[in-house]
Amino acid sequence: MKLISTLSFLMALTINQLASASVIAAGEHGDFSRIVVANGGDNIRVEKRGSKLILHQIEQNTAYELSDITEHQKAKRVSGAALVKKAAGDRIELSLNCDCKFKAVVLSDGKFVLDIFDQIASPLNNSNGANNKSDAQERPKDQFSEADLISADQAHDRLMALLEQAAQDGIVEFKSNNSPREGSRASNATLSIPNAAPIESAENNEIAAIEDELSDAATGSPELNAMLDQTLGSQAKEYSRTAKCFDDLAFFIDGTGLDEQPIAKIAEIKSEVAENDGGQGANNKTLAEAFLAIGFGEEALALLMDSEWENSILAEIAMIVAERKLPKANYILNGRKCSGAHAFWKALAVEDEKEAASLIERSNNEIDSIPKQLRALLAPRLSLKMIDAEEWEKARYFYDVASATIEDLTPELEYIATRLLERENETQSPHTALFEIAVGNSRVADDALLTLAEKITRSNEEPYEGFIQDIGALAKTSEATAAILAEAVAWANMGDTEAALHILRGLAGNAPKDMSTAQKTANDILIKTMDYGTDVQKTNAIDVYLKNDDWIFGDNKNVALLEKLSQAAIDLGVPEVALSILGELTNKPTEESKKLLAKAAYAAFDYENAIKFAAPYLTEPSFVEIVYASKIQRRKYHEALATAALIEDNVQKITAAAQSAWLARAWESATDHFGQLNPIALNSDTAFRYALAAYMAQEDVLPPVTNAVLREKSSVLSTGVESLFAQATESNALERSRSAVKRTADEIAMVSEALNDG
């Protein structure tokens, strides 16, 4: 009977409270309109029907004050409001003058907050819904069906049944109340619920409402708490930091009244908090939330660290706003495949930009739901993150959000705009804007300088005066790998490969994790020098390579670089260096490296190896020439004559064959090939050799073309060869040869002297 009396008292108390009037407050917050219902927020359900928002399950038999909407028009997106009485219960209908979206939350004090937003086209929603979960926990409040909802009466019934069972089992003891109210369901009670984690959600708010109504009557116990856990769900106890996704309400930050004169408003809140808790800090959460609403993460975190909220989602949000790393055990990062607000805050917390972009896809435009000043702080951060991820559409979206929120163009936004404009080809000269940002003191100055360095490198432009000092200072102060790499590339672009590789060697030695990056950059610098550098720069680069070849490669040699270095060494007249470099490819030679070996060996006068290395490539003219010339140098004239037949160019083929036949003393072959030459192309030396070859081949008549050339070029040679043929007899070749040698010794000496004189 005592329990029934207590229940009746509580019911009467609830009815008396519902009989009082309730004010529906309205206000404008720039990007959204806000409607606040002071009481009964836990039960209210929102339905959108056409251009109306209908608030179901409001407190019944209550006179609602709607003048903020109907008379004062404090919410510009709401054109009217009416209390409509239906058989199923009273409801409030709000008429909208826009195609708006909305979000509803319930505060810890039972207030129902409805924010109404303009529809903004956004690339952030996943249109195919692949990432949306179908379970009730993941659905927005307005999408729950009737079957999903539980009223406060039902919650009371379940709780009272539990209490009654607990009393019968001796688990809980009820205290009598001297002033029960008629019609109440239970006496005024105190119920000890396990210390809930400071995370707000729909279930937590419902638990808090029940807890408030049941104050001062019952004493809790572990057994009762266990029963409550089974009935009211796991959110009635402290959350463990596991891979769990939380409802949007767990991340709600109330920024009401902080859009205008936020510092004054915070001072007011601080005064109220101090007055209410007697300076004990019990209400630090309220003040911390206000600081977060205006983007003061450090201040909020300091308050939360001194309170029971130290290990809460709110504290983690403060860390993210303050740009601190979350502890290893945390709620936000440990959530897997979350959506909505959880995905949004996780995107801000993760370091990997691509992962952040994926999370933004599932965030359901949560950026629109956070307070205006916090949005102004976080939107540029997300835009920068999306730029790094090369997610340009998302970067543009967050830039637009920031621009709509921030009145003045900050250096951060200017930098983002410059990157976006360049990407969208709306400007071809972003360097000036980047330079102005880079030399400033904004948080994006370093990013601008690195971007500028990248552009200067890519375009091979001359850097501005002082650039090398700026990038060097950034590399030393920030110790950022990107800055160090940019400094190395800057030195390389100025032609100082040695300084560039010295910096990279230091990076590789001091930061093993950056070894591969340093190696790749060094390889790229050397290749670029080989492709575009002057002879002096190439010479220096080859020397620098030889001094750094102990670290410049990883597990595999950069074959392309080694081949370019070797070719440059050959071109610069140091084929021995080329042979040394190519020796690094001995185990796995490529076709190109084998060809370079042939060229280097020939240039280094190693004719035997030149013939060996070039022999497989006699289908290519350059290697036929190497083999032919090497055989001539090796005095293998008959082999050279055979190789000459492989030369593609007909004139060169005839000339080479004639020369090799002459040297091989194959007189008839030499005479035949000399005779095929264009007379116009004959010089005195060739004509003289042609004449002597004809004589040795026992030709009776001096070839007319040789006589004509020799008469024009050298009268002495002309007279000599004419005398040879004039004195010719029918003697055999040997006699004729001896006679020729005796008779023309002087003429040959004169010919040699003439040839030496050119």
Side-chain angles (χ1 to χ4, degrees), residues 367-378:
I367 188 74
D368 298 332
S369 302
I370 63 177
K372 180 178 180 180
Q373 295 202 46
L374 183 58
R375 192 185 321 145
L377 176 71
L378 299 182

Side-chain angles (χ1 to χ4, degrees), residues 430-662:
H431 290 39
T432 302
L434 286 171
F435 171 75
E436 292 175 353
I437 299 169
V439 298
N441 295 317
S442 68
R443 59 177 289 154
V444 293
D446 293 350
D447 291 332
L449 181 57
L450 288 174
T451 303
L452 189 58
E454 179 185 348
K455 295 184 182 307
I456 291 173
T457 300
R458 190 169 61 239
S459 61
N460 290 318
E461 294 183 9
E462 285 292 325
Y464 64 83
E465 185 177 355
F467 169 76
I468 195 71
Q469 289 79 12
D470 289 346
I471 198 69
L474 177 60
K476 290 179 177 63
T477 55
S478 68
E479 296 184 355
T481 300
I484 296 172
L485 295 174
E487 182 188 11
V489 172
W491 280 110
N493 287 345
M494 293 177 65
D496 196 336
T497 309
E498 185 173 8
L501 263 69
H502 176 74
I503 292 169
L504 293 172
R505 186 181 191 120
L507 174 63
N510 296 331
K513 65 180 178 65
D514 294 323
M515 171 67 84
S516 61
T517 304
Q519 289 171 333
K520 181 181 183 305
T521 305
N523 280 240
D524 291 344
I525 286 173
L526 289 172
I527 287 176
K528 185 176 180 180
T529 304
M530 294 302 104
D531 288 341
Y532 305 107
T534 64
D535 286 350
V536 173
Q537 290 172 339
K538 289 180 180 179
T539 302
N540 291 336
I542 292 172
D543 183 57
V544 169
Y545 162 75
L546 294 173
K547 294 176 181 177
N548 289 274
D549 62 350
D550 58 323
W551 69 272
I552 206 169
F553 297 127
D555 295 334
N556 299 309
K557 303 287 187 182
N558 186 336
V559 177
L561 172 57
L562 291 174
E563 292 173 350
K564 287 179 181 293
L565 288 167
S566 301
Q567 183 64 64
I570 294 170
D571 296 340
L572 292 168
V574 283
E576 296 83 359
V577 174
L579 288 171
S580 174
I581 294 171
L582 290 168
E584 300 183 44
L585 296 174
T586 303
N587 293 334
K588 292 183 179 180
T590 64
E591 291 299 302
E592 183 62 26
S593 67
K594 291 176 184 178
K595 294 176 181 180
L596 286 171
L597 275 172
K599 294 178 181 178
Y602 177 72
F605 311 114
D606 185 358
Y607 300 119
E608 196 66 38
N609 278 321
I611 294 170
K612 174 184 174 182
F613 295 140
Y617 308 106
L618 289 178
T619 55
E620 299 182 33
S622 61
F623 293 99
V624 173
E625 293 175 12
I626 288 175
V627 171
Y628 172 81
S630 296
K631 288 181 176 180
I632 292 293
Q633 294 296 332
R634 293 287 295 169
R635 297 185 179 184
K636 297 181 178 182
Y637 303 130
H638 286 89
E639 293 182 14
L641 178 58
T643 303
L646 300 175
I647 297 175
E648 287 187 357
D649 184 85
N650 194 53
V651 174
Q652 291 180 5
K653 178 191 295 185
I654 295 171
T655 303
Q659 181 186 13
S660 55
W662 164 266

